[in-house]
Amino acid sequence: MSSISEEIISTEEVQSIITEVADDASNVATEDCNVDDVVNNELVESKSGRKIKPSRRMYDNYDDRKKSKSKGSKRSKRPSITALVELESSVDKTAAVEIPSSTPAVCGYCHKGHLDDPLESGKMFSIAGVTTHYFCMLFTYNSSQLGADSEGLFGFYGEEVKNQIQNGKKKCKYCGKRGATARCNKKHCGVYMHFPCGQESGATFQFMGKMYTFCFMHRVKQKVETFPTPPDTDCVICYEKVDHQEDFKKIRAPCCGRHFHRDCVQRFAMTSGTQHFKCPNCNNQEEITKEFKKNGV
């Protein structure tokens, strides 16, 4: 019995000796290791005050860290408020100058000069070294009207007008010349045109909302089947017949069914204004305004 106890004690002593030897070897290895490896196991305080390991990448400054994060980011890069303010202050907001009809000028879009009827193109203006009809710029596809009415060309800055003219490489559907920037908004159509050419050919230009344009093939047509039947086909404004006019040159009032020449209604609308416009026959305002706007009046 005693011999067995002695054997057990001897085994425990051996294990103790082995443990001490292993600890000594570990201490020696620790002393021989590089000082940087020891430091890497310690926690250090970051700029934000958190305890982190030095093995994590330490950035020299905040800009480097922000730049590194943005490399793999899929989020959109939005300009800061400071950048927007600087951009706003750098934009030339000089107002456009109207060119008198007596002064020769050619529009950079449609390549036409002053037109006798202002409804065909609007007035001619000069801005940022280029010349344009107002309606040619107004119905330019994907243009940006960012300013107030008193800035640039009624909100179109000079740089925007200039860039749109320089980038207007599309050919007009109706005249074949380049500079066409009014695009049909019918899905998958893709027809480009000059504003005066579109007006002459029967395209629809909606002077409301997003200023949609529709070519002759996709022009807006009235559903006159639901309109009241008028006593005659006389235009209530000029008192002339509208029977033999092409469909895009005439229009009917949904309230009373009366016939009108489109040009007559257009001039009447320009003199009346949106707030005072009403049917010349029955004085209806809400219904006729909605219908005529949709049809490009």
Side-chain angles (χ1 to χ4, degrees), residues 42-54 58:
E42 297 178 357
L43 295 178
V44 296
E45 186 175 350
S46 66
K47 293 182 179 181
S48 62
R50 295 182 298 172
K51 295 293 184 179
I52 60 175
K53 292 182 179 180
M58 304 298 294

Side-chain angles (χ1 to χ4, degrees), residues 199-210:
Q199 281 282 78
E200 184 179 354
S201 301
T204 301
F205 296 90
Q206 295 181 337
F207 289 82
M208 65 175 185
K210 297 182 179 180

Side-chain angles (χ1 to χ4, degrees), residues 37-170:
D37 294 336
V38 177
V39 174
N40 284 342
N41 293 326
E42 297 178 357
L43 295 178
V44 296
E45 186 175 350
S46 66
K47 293 182 179 181
S48 62
R50 295 182 298 172
K51 295 293 184 179
I52 60 175
K53 292 182 179 180
S55 58
R56 177 181 176 180
R57 181 179 175 184
M58 304 298 294
Y59 299 89
D60 293 335
N61 52 58
Y62 174 76
D63 293 334
D64 291 342
R65 183 173 182 178
K66 184 177 180 181
K67 183 178 179 181
S68 176
K69 282 187 175 182
S70 63
K71 286 182 180 179
S73 177
K74 296 183 179 179
R75 298 176 62 184
S76 60
K77 297 180 180 179
R78 296 181 180 180
S80 62
I81 297 178
T82 304
L84 290 175
V85 172
E86 292 178 354
L87 179 63
E88 180 74 11
S89 61
S90 63
V91 173
D92 183 8
K93 302 179 181 179
T94 304
V97 179
E98 182 179 346
I99 302 176
S101 57
S102 58
T103 303
V106 177
C107 176
Y109 290 105
C110 65
H111 313 292
K112 297 182 179 181
H114 294 281
L115 301 178
D116 296 334
D117 191 348
L119 298 178
E120 296 179 0
S121 60
K123 297 180 179 180
M124 185 88 75
F125 291 87
S126 174
I127 184 172
V130 295
T131 306
T132 176
H133 293 116
Y134 174 53
F135 291 163
C136 288
M137 182 63 217
L138 184 63
F139 285 93
T140 293
Y141 186 72
N142 274 345
S143 59
S144 299
Q145 192 174 12
L146 303 177
D149 289 344
S150 59
E151 300 172 344
L153 179 58
F154 298 102
F156 293 104
Y157 294 138
E159 192 67 22
E160 171 71 7
V161 179
K162 188 175 181 180
N163 290 338
Q164 291 290 355
I165 290 179
Q166 292 176 348
N167 296 331
K169 306 299 182 182
K170 298 289 186 178

